[in-house]
Structures are given as C-alpha cells and as structure tokens.
Amino acid sequence: MAEKLISLWVFLLLIYLVKSNLDDARPLLDEFSGGFKAAGNDLSLDGVAAVENNGVLRLTDYNSTMKLGHAFYSHPIQFKNSSGEVISFSTSFAFVITPQPWREGGDGLAFAISPVKGCPGGKPGEFIGLFNASNNGNFSNHILAVEFDTYMNQEYNETDSNHVAVDINSIISNKSAPVVQFKGDDTNGVPLNLTSGRVIQAWIDYNSPTNQLDVRLATDSAKPSSILLSFTVNLSQVLNEFMYIGFSASIGLVTSSHYILGWSFNKNGDAKSLNLDRLPKPQLPSTATANKKSQTGLIVGVSVISGALAVILLAALTFYVVRRIKKADVVEDWELDIAPHRFPYEDLKKATRGFKEKELLGSGGYGKVYKGTLPNSDTQVAVKRIPQDSKQGLKAFISEVATIGRLRHRNLVQLLGWCRREADLLLVYEFMPNGSLDKHLFDEPRSILSWEQRFKIIKGVASGLLYLHEEWEKAVVHRDIKAGNVLLDSEFNARLSDFGLAKLYEHGSNPSTTRVVGTLGYMAPELTRTGKPTTSSDVYAFGALLLEVVCGRRPINSTASSEELIVLVGWVWENWAVGTVLDVVDPRMEGKFDEDEAVLLLKLGLICSNDDAEVRPTMRLVLRYLEGELALREEVAMPYQKKGAAGAGRGTVEILNYMQSFPTTWSSVFDVDGR
Ligand SMILES: *[C@@H]1O[C@H](CO)[C@@H](O)[C@H](O)[C@H]1NC(C)=O
Ligand SMILES: *[C@@H]1O[C@H](CO)[C@@H](O)[C@H](O)[C@H]1NC(C)=O
Ligand SMILES: *[C@@H]1O[C@H](CO)[C@@H](O)[C@H](O)[C@H]1NC(C)=O
C-alpha cells in the first residue's frame, strides 16, 4: 500500500515537472521577484557586482571610480520562435541609485539583452559597461539596452542628466525621454530624479506584432497606464534566437552605487509587477557626518574607563588622532561641493608607487606627471602634481578644477578627479598609452604617423576645441594648444589635455600681474599686446599645430637651414606663393598622402594663422571644412600666388611683413554661405 502511494506520488511529481517545463505561459523568471538571496548559480556576476547578505543585488560600489558591474541571468532565453519571429517579452525590476545631493550621479544603469552573458569588452564611464570605443555602433553587437542615465554626455547629443533611453548596438540612443513619473491614470507626469535614492520600479514591454517597445516608471508597486518612452522597432535584426538578459551599470569619475532589488521577466505576457514593500532594502552609504559621529563616540567611550589608565589611553589616543588629522588630506567645507571625484592621497601615493621617478611621464610648466595604477582596480591613470605656493588662489584654482572636471568629450582627456595635500594639488587624468603628439612628429620619432592618422588627429583636435569653445555651457578657452598638449589614445585619437590649466595657473600667481601663458610659435600676435586669450587666439595656435602635423616640423625651428625659413608659417607661405606648397608636406611619409586633403589642411593652417584675429575662422567653420561640408573655392590660393610671386625668395621678416601688408579676409578665400 505504502509503495503504491509513493509511486503514485512520484508519478504525479513527474507529470508536474514535465508539464511545468512545457508550460510556456509560466512567468519565466519569477524567482527574483522578492530579491536575489537565493540567486546562486542562476545569476552570473562580473565586475564589481555582488549580491549582498540581505538579497540586494549591488552592481557598482560607492567607494570606487571607473568601475562596472554586470549581473545576467545564467540561462539563455529563446527570443525567436521556429518561424524566426521575435517573441513578445516583458520585464519589471526595482532599482535604487544612491543619492547625489550636490552633483550629477555617474554614469548609469541599463537593462540589456545580449548574445553572451555580461557584455565582455564593455567599458565603464560613458559606455555604461555595455560597449567600448571600438565596438560602439557595430551592428554585430546585437545588444538592446534600455538605459537609465544620470550623466549628460553632450557628445552623444544627450540633453539632460536624468533620462531613459533605448540603445541599439550603440551608446548613442535611438530615442530618449527625461524621467517623469505618472501616478495612476494621470497623464501629466511629475519630474522624478533617478538619483533621489528612492526605490523606482521600471517596466519594459515589447510587443512583437506591433514592434512596440514601451518603458514605464513608478515609485510604487502598481504599473502606471501612461508610457514614459515608446519606441517602434522591429527587433528581428537585433536579437538572435537565443539571448541573455541582465543588467549593466557603471560609474566614472562620480561614484554612486546602483542596486537592483527585485526582478521578473516573462514572454508572451506581462511580467509580474513587484511589490516594493516586500523587497530587501539597500544599505545606503553613510555620509561623512555619520563617520565623524562614530569617531566621537569612540573617544567618549574610552574616557568613561576610570583611573590613570583612562587618562593615559586618552592621551595616547588624542596624540594619535591629532597626528592623523595633521597628516590627513586638507578638506574644507566648500571643497565638498566640488564635482569631480576627490581621491584619497594614500590611493594616489600607492598608485604612483610613492611618486617614484621611474613612473614619471613628463614634466611641464605646471608640474610633474606620473603614471599610476589605481589600487583595487586595473585603471591606469596619469597623476599631475602641481606645487601650489599661493594660498589665496587656491579656492579659485579648485573651483576651476570643478569646472573642467565636468567637461566631457571624446577628444578631451578626461579629468577623473583630484586631491589636495598641504601645498600640493594632484589632478588625476585618464592615461593615454600613446603619449603626446610631439613625440610622434619631431626629432626622431619611433614610428611615422600615416596621412590618415594625421588627418584624424587634426579633426579630433578641431572637434575637441569646438566643444570647448561653443558646445559647453560656457566658452572655455584652452590657452595652450600645442603638439605637446595633444595626447593620443590607444587608437591614435587626438585627446586635448591641460585645458583650462593655463587659467588655473593664473589664479595661483599674484593676481595683480597678468601674465601671458602660452608657448612661443603658437601665440597669436595680439596676445603680446592685449594679454587676453580668446577663442580666436586658440584658433591661431590650432593653425600652427595643423601646419606642424602636415609638415612634421616645429612652428619655430632655429636649426633649419636658411632656405627652410625659421618660422614654419612663413616657410609654408613662401612655398604657397611660388606654387610648390606640396613640397612642405612631411617627407617622411614618402609621398603617401592625399594631395587634396593636404592642400585643404595647408590652406586652413595658413588662414588660421592670420595675424588679424578678426579674420580667423571659428572652430565651427574649420570643422565644417574638415568634414567636407563646405568646399574650398578653387581660386583660394590665387591672390597669394599672383601677388606672392613678389614675395618669393625673401627672408622671414620680409615675408612676415609682406603677409601683414596683405589683408586676407577668409570670406574671399572660402565659400561662405550667407556670410
Ligand atoms: C511565431 O510568432 C509569430 C508572431 O508572434 C506568430 O504569428 C507565428 O505563428 C509564430 N510561429 C510559430 C511557428 O509559432
Ligand atoms: C570591445 O569589445 C569587444 C567585444 O564586444 C572586444 O572584442 C574588444 O576587444 C573590445 N575592445 C576594446 C578596445 O576593449
Ligand atoms: C520584422 O522584420 C522581418 C524581416 O526583417 C519580417 O519578416 C517581419 O515580418 C517583421 N515583423 C514585423 C512585426 O513587422
């Protein structure tokens, strides 16, 4: 009898198991709808992602920078049926991003569907751990992501630092919307701050027959009827038959923790909405004041111990604390309001192995630059150590650091953070493996830059400079454009460095003396008169840089032979005048260059180098010529060629005088639409 009962029971269990496996209407992923405590092998984590003891999934950690975390469901999910049609799906999850009361949170969180677990090759920072600079935008990525972005990347046309967007194969969003939340059936949303520290539930639904991808958000358990973002897309080219689903989050220079509290997923039907009250809550990072309180608590506790022992202990403790305070980094209240990440001094010391001479990358006008590897990560950085002698200028100095720390563009070297210790100011930058441009151009470079590389570098510098001049919230004048300040990343993209530093340096010096900061050969003539750097003086320096890159020579070369004039601009002008301008192109390229492009660059270089500031083009125009959006007129050079014949064969001074006597207006040189 008992045996029969057991076998019946086993039989029923088998039927149940088989049936539940076949039953496709069952919510696919229901086990995380109350947290991730029992996730075990069903969740694949990488980067800094971890499941905390209470069942909260933490993707990034408040205490670090430039990190990413991935958490993917370990099992593949079928996204196309046997006839190749995409299957409708629905997911819901609850998340928390730690509050950032005084700044933008960085960088964001995304739900992702990927052909492999995690997104191998994804980079932290602006790529939200999904893509990297080389695969960004490739159709072969097969990645669909819905990002919750808390940082405004102007280079990706983002319009605010609090938006939801659909990203297909690229971090440049297909569609985005600022975050608002709808209550119940209300159709007028109220703004919702993603970094408010509140629990936010998101619903993402894809309806395959209508190709409709909808995103909804709320701070409660009920799914709102109003849709925050709706995007029409046929995913059949994006998704493979089997895909993995999960989350990616990353932090750049501004740290925050990204938590997922619960998650459900379903196919051919709505995912279960999460009951927010039943979810585990994250342990939000304690604030600086909380730390201070616990320290005081310790001291009070010790003093309660009676007798001499307590006195001795207290004295020792006080001695220790005072010593620690004396040695500690200097932090004043106002410094806490500053945007980029503040690094602990000890981390930077460790990173550069105690500022060892062996780690020295170079030393410039502002200080020494060391290579370093941040502890607890493999992020390579360049640390610039600037001695600071004037206390007075310090506040202005650091507030400028805060400003330049918010500048972000693919052709700028990103400032990751800073640190102040006694008289030293330390600035932490991204590390650029290929060093500075001048090392690849002058003297005896290890390898010769190809024409394509040179053209790309010039375009990069131009677009970085345009961003500084016109595309940021206020115009930033670089003040020290030169080959030594153009760094090259692993793919030889130009990245401007030291922007704003010249201005910072002025703050540090005696404010009653204005001094001109710049480098000879790159300094516009009006600078010596007015002492006031402008975007136009940057354009002048850009012109000099452009000629250098094409010619492979320094702007002023005292060792050149007499027929190769000492001033590069003059020499190019002279060759231009006699119709031999292509002779100035760097001979080390052995003639392997595009002649039309070379002529374009040389013309642009000459025009930017005009002594008359009014006559130089803006960077926006320069970029349009470089992009081929505006064409150079055929007869561009003609005025110089005709009159220039008289100038041929003269000395530098005469040539320069001659140039000054000839008022070039660039509108006579370029086709200018409507101007
Ligand atoms: C595949 O899905 C499409 C759209 O949902 C549906 O029309 C079609 O009948 C499905 N085919 C099979 C074989 O299930
Ligand atoms: C970018 O990601 C791809 C994987 O999608 C990887 O193969 C490639 O090596 C990565 N590139 C860099 C520069 O990290
Ligand atoms: C999506 O595109 C595929 C082919 O690219 C097509 O066969 C399919 O019918 C489309 N689906 C919808 C719902 O438009």
Side-chain angles (χ1 to χ4, degrees), residues 102-103 333-342 395 398-403 418:
W102 63 80
R103 57 195 180 188
D333 281 350
W334 51 266
E335 291 183 32
L336 294 174
D337 293 339
I338 286 165
H341 180 66
R342 186 177 208 289
K395 189 167 174 175
I398 292 177
S399 74
E400 271 308 310
V401 170
T403 309
W418 62 286

Side-chain angles (χ1 to χ4, degrees), residues 85 208-209 211 234 236-237:
E85 289 280 341
S208 174
N211 286 336
N234 183 337
S236 69
Q237 302 298 317

Side-chain angles (χ1 to χ4, degrees), residues 81-88 208-209 268:
N81 69 12
S82 53
S83 55
E85 289 280 341
V86 174
I87 299 169
S88 297
S208 174
N268 289 323

